[in-house]
Each structure stands twice: as structure tokens, then as C-alpha cells.
Amino acid sequence: MQRPTIKTIAQETGLSIATVSKALKHSPQVRPETRAIVIEAAERVGYELNMHGVQLRTGKTYQVAAIMTAPGPKQNEWEGVEYAQLLSGISWALEDSPYRVSLYAVRNFDESQAIIKQIVSLKKADGIIISGTRADDPRIRTMQAADFPFVTYGTSVHNAPHAYVDADNEQMIRVSMARLVERGHRRIALLNPLSDLSYGITRFESYRRALETAGLPFDPALVAHGRLTPAFGRENVLTMSDLSNPPTAYICANEASALGAFSGFHERGLVHGRDAVINATDDLNVSQYFAPPITTYYLPISEPSSLLGAYILRRMEGEPPEALQTLLMPKLIERCDDRLTAIR
Amino acid sequence: MQRPTIKTIAQETGLSIATVSKALKHSPQVRPETRAIVIEAAERVGYELNMHGVQLRTGKTYQVAAIMTAPGPKQNEWEGVEYAQLLSGISWALEDSPYRVSLYAVRNFDESQAIIKQIVSLKKADGIIISGTRADDPRIRTMQAADFPFVTYGTSVHNAPHAYVDADNEQMIRVSMARLVERGHRRIALLNPLSDLSYGITRFESYRRALETAGLPFDPALVAHGRLTPAFGRENVLTMSDLSNPPTAYICANEASALGAFSGFHERGLVHGRDAVINATDDLNVSQYFAPPITTYYLPISEPSSLLGAYILRRMEGEPPEALQTLLMPKLIERCDDRLTAIR
DNA sequence: ATGGACGATAAAAACGTTTAACTTCGTTGT
DNA sequence: ACAACGAAGTTAAACGTTTTTATCGTCCAT
């Protein structure tokens, strides 16, 4: 038996397919009684809308492209693991809509740019979600030029206003620095994402301002930019702890680099809380299982991800981007005092 | 300007759209000279195949559904993070094909079953990739009954033969146990996945056989089944280390539970290598950053994931499932000796 | 010469939906 | 009484492909 179509319902009810179509989408052109008949028949025959017909006719794809930047299959680093929860959050946010998440894995920025151009020009999706935004992001310009709906996870600086969701990195670093300074720290290291990423810049600038506020000197040796892998955290601890005047606190941009920093502590024989402390930003609530647990700024990744999903839906409905901008403040979770026992 | 279609090319070349269509798909019915003309015109006008037309006509979706089981947005546990790399591996394997990965995030087994029924009956995809297989998996039966192409990450026991990729859990546990026994361990704990999962059963049975081989008694207090979160690892170490005769080795089924086990060590004041050791299976190469680094069986998740992608493609081409079954043996990485200093 | 087979292309139908344009008929206002 | 109108449906075209069937020469065997 063939799958029923609107034609089936038309024959079943004696109406035309046009009326059936209109009835099913609640057009005001059809009488409530007629609609009831159509709905009844649709349920009776087990009708389900065939998207292919809709897509061809309307040109809409009902796909939301999620661009996921992950390192190539050769490098097996603990990186980008938060994408799993990001994607499921987005997927759930679209659950009650006709939209599906279509996944585009790319290896680097250039590939993401190429993919986006393709999606936009060939209309392979109705909306795009990207992350890893740069201060001046050409991908954003591409999408804006084509008037294509999109939402970014991360802000940009030099682009025209667009829909975004991000953690409030400025505030987070400011509060974090003030708290550490208050606890006696004078040499604070910043393990930062790649410097072309927008949030890397935000964090760095906030860091510098916090130093000024506290009257502390800026030392470039205490700032590192890189891919936020455990290796990155480890190597920077190894290097910085060898300085003649090593840091007593490390601010890590994610849980992966914090884990790596611990590995560096272990290698150098440093004791957390005695020689130095580690603070981090945590999306996955994993820092509580570190030994010892560390102080983190915790933003459950489900929050930004469901917002991203909600925003792309609203953006595709035509809502202006200015109304779809949110900075989320992570919650401070103090798992240790972070005063050095040696300093006291 | 409108996007060019085969009609555009037909007008451009003076041929019919039928010939253009055939020429573009290398049908033997069209003369090579004619084909050359068509190809040239297609390139000149910048023609790209419109999938919506194809989909409506052929009924194919060119979508591969990836079912991703992740805990709901409320629970923010470090769980399922390897999905990110699994998905990107699959996505890359499909890169040169016309297929795209369509993501379906579900919260539990029942939801995945419902989604799969829907995908199969409404033909929302041409192939399905699932994980978390059970010994007797009703989802597999659903797909087989409908003769629907699919590949599983994980084996099943009672189902008819199907395409799968998995780690060789039997061998891994056997080797792992023999190695620990050889190093003097007599009380070995198994931190296992949920007992309804196929690989949980495989691991458990292999564990029991290994005990028999070594002439060691089976103690149910040393085996735990559960969701492989850090919390699970931690709690079981807390419980088991309180036994009158606590284990001297913990075999963890993934890196998340191993991290949690470390957290339990820290809480109890246990020292790795003195009081007990932790061995694990590692997909993400993160155990090297634990303090201290531990011995793991490492299977870079890129390997199974690219196989999954390759297999679903071949399965959709009609290749029989028996030819598409692979068990991958993880590589043993000895990061410490794992002999207890106290035992010697 | 005639018929048939074959090779290359064209014509047309079909996939399932939406929507602009049109018909029909009853109601309303003058 | 009649034009104008509105409500509720219908007709038909269109979206871009693929594929079955038809057409039209050309070549070959008889």
C-alpha cells in the first residue's frame, strides 16, 4: 500500500487537493466544518506530510546547518567535546518544529567559510549556527550579505549587529581577577583561546583592565593563546612554573586546559593550593571531579545551546537580530578557598 | 537571476531536458559528443543539481540519521562527550557522497526506538546509525523488518546478523585481566556500563571467564553497572574501598568513569600505585593527562566513526550486512607498571 | 525495395505540495 | 431588481527532477 497523500484525502472526502492542503494548514479560507472532515480523514488514513513536495514547492529545506569545527581525524585530542551537548541542546530546541539539525563537520576556519558560502548560495539550509567567531568574521559578512538567517555562539566586534549567544567573558574575567587579587595573588596567568577568536580578545582585554585596576603590572610571559587542549594547559604550566617569578594562579578558559594544567602540576611536583591554584570555566561540570576540585565559572552548556536553537527559529521567522542577543553569566562555584597557604 | 536548472541547459544547448538529465548522470544512452556539450553548458551557467527535485522524484532523502542518546538538558554530567568526535568522523566519511548527517538527539532508549520507527515508516532518511546496542535490541528488529539500511556502534547478541563496528571488548578485558593478575592483583573491580547494553554483557562475561582462568573467586561486590559518568566512577571507588577486602585494581569502561575514580581516590586519600591502580578504556586520549597518567586501552574514536560512515554508505548501496562487521582492538598504552608497591 | 532493429533524442508523465486565479453561490446595499 | 461583494471551493500551474514511452532517422539483412 502506498503512503497516503493529500490526494488520498481528497478522494476520501470528495474535496479538492487544494482545499485539503489549505485545511491542513489552518487557512481561514476553509470552513471549520470542512476542516474537521479533512482532519478526520487524514487521521483515519494515517496521513503524514511529505516534506519533499513541500521543499520543492516552497524552496525551503527545513534544515538548520550546524557547523562544527573539530580537528581532523589524525589528531586525537580532547578538544571540542562540548559540541556533543551543544548539538543535542540545539536539536531539542528544534524538536517541536519541522526543522532538523544537519551537521557539517569542518576542520578549520577556511573550510567553515567555504561550507557556509555553499550553504548560502545553494540554499542547502534555512538557517546556520556557527561558533568560534572572530573579532571580524568574514563568515558573518557572507551570511549578512545574502540576508541569510544565522546565530553565532560567540560575539563579534567589527561586524554589523547579528543574533548571538555567548558567555559574558568580560565580566567573568573581571570578577575572577578581582577575587584572586583579593586573595593575595599578584602573578596571575591567563590561558586563553586562540587570539583571533573574539572571546579570546574579550578575555584578554578584560584581563588587562583588571590588572590596571589592581595596580599590577602586565607580564606577557603570563599570557598564552592556543587551542584549548589538555596539552596546551600542561605545556604552559611547565613553561610558566619555570619562570624566576612563576604565577600563583592560572585562569584556564575551559575544563580541558584545566585538566592539562593539573597534569603540569603533577609533572613539576606542584601542589594545588600550596604552590599555585587553578581556576577555570566549565561547560560540562567536570571540574568537580578533579583532584582537588577547583573553583570554576560554570555555565551548563544546555543553556546557550537551547538559546541557539530558539534564536535560529525566531531568526528564520524574520525576527530582527538585535532582539536575539544574549550574554550569559556563568555561576561562580567556589570549590576551594584559593588563598595560597604559603602566602599567608 | 534565477538559479539555473536542467531546463536552462536545455534551452542553452537546444536539447531536451531528458537528454540533459541523462547526460549529466552519464547515461550510456547519450552520445559522448552530446554529453560534452551539456557538461560545458552546465559549467558555463554554473548549474548545480537541485536535490529537492531529485528527492521528490526518487523518494530518496540523501540523509543519514545519526541517533545520539544524550541525557536531558537538566542533568549536566560529563557523559557522551565522545559523540562529538563520533559525529564528525561520520560526517567526514560521507563528505564525498551526496549524503548528509541528520542529527536526532534522544534522551533514552524508548525515545530512540520511537524515533527510529518514525524514520523508517516515514522514510525520513536513507540510512541510520545507532549506538548503545542491547543484547536483544528491538530497534534492530524494527529496521531489519523494514529492510532499512543501518549500522550499529556496538554488537548485539540475539539479533539477526547486521552491520556493526565495535571495540573488541572480550579480548580487551581478557588481556587486561591477565595483565593485572600477572602483576599480583587478586581483587579486581569492574566498573561496567549498564547491564542491558550489549558491551556491558560482553565485558562482564569476559571478566568472569578471566577470573576462572586465573583461579580467582567472583565477588559481586566488585562489579558495578551504571551510566559511565564521573559520578559513577567516584561513588564506586568510595563504596568499594570501604570493603573489608578492597580491590587493588579498578577497570573502568571509559575515561569519564576513570576520572571519577581518581576523584574517589583523592577523597579517600588513596594513592595510585600504592593502594590501588586504575586502568581504563580511552576513546579520547585524555588519560595521559591524568595525575598520574594511567594505563589504558586506546581506540581513537576516529577509527570506528569513519568505519561507521563507510559502512552505512555501502549498506545503502545494498551490500550485505555480513560483509560489514568489524571488531577493533584498542591499543594497550602502559603508562605505569601497575604493580602495587605494597604487594611487592 | 522492404522490413526490422538499433541508436539517439524528444515528449510526456509523474513524484506531493502550495498558491494564484477563477468559479459558484448566497448575501447585502441601494 | 440588480450590481457588488464575500465566503468557500475548485482548477490549474508550478517547483526540478527522473524515467517510461514515443519518435525519427539510419543501417543492415533479406
Side-chain angles (χ1 to χ4, degrees):
Chain A
M1 235 272 294
Q2 282 298 346
R3 180 171 159 185
T5 70
I6 51 172
K7 206 167 169 181
T8 318
I9 302 179
Q11 285 164 350
E12 204 77 11
T13 57
L15 294 162
S16 75
I17 61 165
T19 309
V20 172
S21 174
K22 288 174 188 158
L24 289 173
K25 44 197 323 243
H26 291 252
S27 157
Q29 289 182 38
V30 29
R31 282 219 323 274
E33 300 83 35
T34 314
R35 168 172 314 133
I37 294 170
V38 170
I39 303 268
E40 187 277 329
E43 278 174 7
R44 184 155 40 77
V45 301
Y47 170 78
E48 289 272 357
L49 180 63
N50 182 322
M51 284 314 234
H52 293 156
V54 180
Q55 285 165 248
L56 178 58
R57 174 62 224 228
T58 63
K60 292 192 66 174
T61 65
Y62 291 100
Q63 306 267 342
V64 170
I67 317 288
M68 168 179 176
T69 309
K74 294 116 222 158
Q75 308 131 286
N76 289 288
E77 268 287 1
W78 193 53
E79 193 183 0
V81 295
E82 65 282 358
Y83 265 110
Q85 315 219 2
L86 198 65
L87 289 171
S88 52
I90 295 170
S91 172
W92 283 324
L94 302 182
E95 204 166 37
D96 295 328
S97 81
Y99 293 91
R100 289 297 124 213
V101 174
S102 190
L103 190 67
Y104 290 80
V106 297
R107 290 166 191 80
N108 52 52
F109 190 84
D110 289 343
E111 268 194 35
S112 80
Q113 200 175 350
I115 285 279
I116 285 168
K117 278 189 182 147
Q118 201 191 3
I119 294 172
V120 168
S121 71
L122 300 180
K123 194 127 183 35
K124 287 185 169 297
D126 299 330
I128 300 182
I129 296 178
I130 63 170
S131 58
T133 46
R134 296 193 170 175
D136 183 10
D137 201 311
R139 303 171 301 176
I140 294 179
R141 282 203 306 276
T142 299
M143 296 186 284
Q144 284 177 331
D147 203 21
F148 202 96
F150 70 99
V151 182
T152 64
Y153 186 31
T155 58
S156 71
V157 182
H158 303 297
N159 294 93
H162 57 91
Y164 67 79
V165 178
D166 202 359
D168 190 340
N169 284 283
E170 192 281 325
Q171 186 184 356
M172 192 164 35
I173 292 291
R174 178 159 42 81
V175 173
S176 186
M177 286 290 288
R179 181 175 168 279
L180 287 169
V181 167
E182 185 188 310
R183 278 163 176 67
H185 294 275
R186 293 290 170 266
R187 301 272 294 164
I188 304 175
L190 185 70
L191 270 52
N192 226 23
L194 286 164
S195 58
D196 48 7
L197 293 180
S198 180
Y199 82 115
I201 296 172
T202 305
R203 290 173 77 95
F204 181 63
E205 286 176 350
S206 184
Y207 172 79
R208 293 215 53 169
R209 272 196 301 275
L211 286 178
E212 269 179 44
T213 307
L216 294 173
F218 167 66
D219 181 354
L222 296 188
V223 175
H225 295 273
R227 283 172 41 210
L228 295 173
T229 63
F232 173 71
R234 177 184 158 91
E235 279 151 28
N236 278 292
V237 166
L238 294 183
T239 314
M240 293 184 185
S241 61
D242 276 350
L243 293 173
S244 59
N245 195 1
T248 61
Y250 294 85
I251 298 182
C252 298
N254 72 350
E255 57 284 285
S257 53
L259 182 71
F262 262 109
S263 168
F265 272 46
H266 182 253
E267 173 85 16
R268 285 281 182 266
L270 302 174
V271 173
H272 189 274
R274 186 193 70 188
D275 303 303
V277 299
I278 299 172
N279 282 9
T281 307
D282 192 356
D283 288 330
L284 301 170
N285 207 9
V286 63
S287 315
Q288 59 181 309
Y289 297 105
F290 289 176
I294 60 174
T295 295
T296 54
Y297 287 83
Y298 176 45
L299 179 61
I301 189 132
S302 58
E303 293 186 18
S305 61
S306 60
L307 266 185
L308 286 170
Y311 281 7
I312 192 64
L313 283 178
R314 292 166 64 183
R315 195 67 193 83
M316 292 187 302
E317 305 266 296
E319 205 165 324
E322 287 82 0
L324 305 171
Q325 304 179 326
T326 300
L327 284 185
L328 296 162
M329 183 58 196
K331 196 170 87 189
L332 172 65
I333 303 187
E334 297 190 89
R335 297 209 181 82
C336 53
D337 179 62
D338 289 325
R339 246 174 268 266
L340 284 201
T341 49
I343 290 183
R344 204 179 320 157
Chain B
M1 236 274 295
Q2 282 297 346
R3 181 171 158 184
T5 70
I6 52 172
K7 207 167 168 181
T8 318
I9 301 180
Q11 286 164 348
E12 203 77 9
T13 58
L15 294 162
S16 75
I17 61 165
T19 309
V20 172
S21 173
K22 287 175 187 157
L24 289 173
K25 47 199 319 249
H26 291 252
S27 158
Q29 288 180 40
V30 30
R31 282 220 323 276
E33 299 82 24
T34 315
R35 169 171 313 133
I37 293 171
V38 170
I39 304 267
E40 187 276 330
E43 279 173 6
R44 184 154 40 78
V45 301
Y47 171 77
E48 289 272 355
L49 181 63
N50 182 323
M51 284 315 237
H52 292 334
V54 180
Q55 286 166 296
L56 177 58
R57 174 62 222 231
T58 64
K60 292 193 66 173
T61 66
Y62 292 100
Q63 305 266 344
V64 170
I67 318 287
M68 168 179 176
T69 309
K74 293 116 221 155
Q75 308 132 285
N76 290 288
E77 267 288 0
W78 193 52
E79 194 183 1
V81 295
E82 65 282 359
Y83 265 111
Q85 315 219 3
L86 198 65
L87 289 171
S88 52
I90 295 170
S91 171
W92 283 323
L94 302 182
E95 203 167 37
D96 294 328
S97 81
Y99 294 91
R100 290 296 125 214
V101 175
S102 189
L103 190 68
Y104 290 80
V106 297
R107 289 165 192 81
N108 53 50
F109 190 85
D110 289 343
E111 267 194 34
S112 80
Q113 199 175 349
I115 284 279
I116 285 168
K117 278 189 182 148
Q118 201 191 2
I119 294 172
V120 168
S121 71
L122 299 181
K123 194 125 183 35
K124 287 184 169 298
D126 299 330
I128 301 183
I129 296 178
I130 63 169
S131 58
T133 46
R134 296 193 172 175
D136 183 10
D137 200 310
R139 304 171 301 176
I140 294 179
R141 283 203 305 277
T142 300
M143 295 186 284
Q144 285 177 331
D147 203 22
F148 202 95
F150 69 100
V151 183
T152 63
Y153 186 32
T155 59
S156 70
V157 181
H158 303 297
N159 294 93
H162 57 91
Y164 66 78
V165 178
D166 201 0
D168 190 340
N169 284 283
E170 193 281 324
Q171 187 183 355
M172 192 164 36
I173 292 292
R174 178 158 41 80
V175 173
S176 185
M177 287 290 288
R179 181 175 168 279
L180 286 170
V181 168
E182 185 188 309
R183 277 162 175 69
H185 294 275
R186 294 289 169 267
R187 301 273 294 164
I188 305 175
L190 186 70
L191 270 53
N192 226 23
L194 286 165
S195 58
D196 48 8
L197 294 180
S198 180
Y199 82 116
I201 296 172
T202 305
R203 290 173 76 95
F204 181 62
E205 286 177 349
S206 184
Y207 171 79
R208 293 214 55 168
R209 273 195 300 277
L211 286 178
E212 269 179 43
T213 306
L216 294 174
F218 167 67
D219 182 353
L222 295 188
V223 175
H225 295 273
R227 282 172 42 211
L228 296 173
T229 62
F232 173 71
R234 176 184 159 93
E235 279 151 27
N236 278 293
V237 165
L238 295 184
T239 314
M240 293 184 184
S241 62
D242 275 350
L243 293 173
S244 58
N245 195 0
T248 61
Y250 295 86
I251 298 181
C252 298
N254 72 350
E255 57 284 284
S257 53
L259 182 71
F262 262 109
S263 168
F265 272 45
H266 183 254
E267 173 86 17
R268 284 282 182 267
L270 301 174
V271 173
H272 189 273
R274 185 193 71 189
D275 303 303
V277 299
I278 300 172
N279 282 9
T281 306
D282 191 356
D283 288 330
L284 301 170
N285 207 11
V286 62
S287 316
Q288 60 181 309
Y289 296 104
F290 289 176
I294 60 173
T295 295
T296 54
Y297 289 83
Y298 175 45
L299 179 62
I301 190 134
S302 58
E303 293 186 18
S305 60
S306 60
L307 267 185
L308 286 170
Y311 281 7
I312 192 63
L313 283 178
R314 292 166 64 182
R315 194 69 194 80
M316 291 188 302
E317 304 267 294
E319 205 165 325
E322 288 81 1
L324 305 171
Q325 304 179 327
T326 299
L327 284 185
L328 296 162
M329 183 59 197
K331 197 170 85 189
L332 172 65
I333 303 187
E334 296 190 89
R335 296 209 180 81
C336 54
D337 179 63
D338 288 326
R339 246 175 267 268
L340 284 201
T341 49
I343 290 182
R344 205 179 322 160

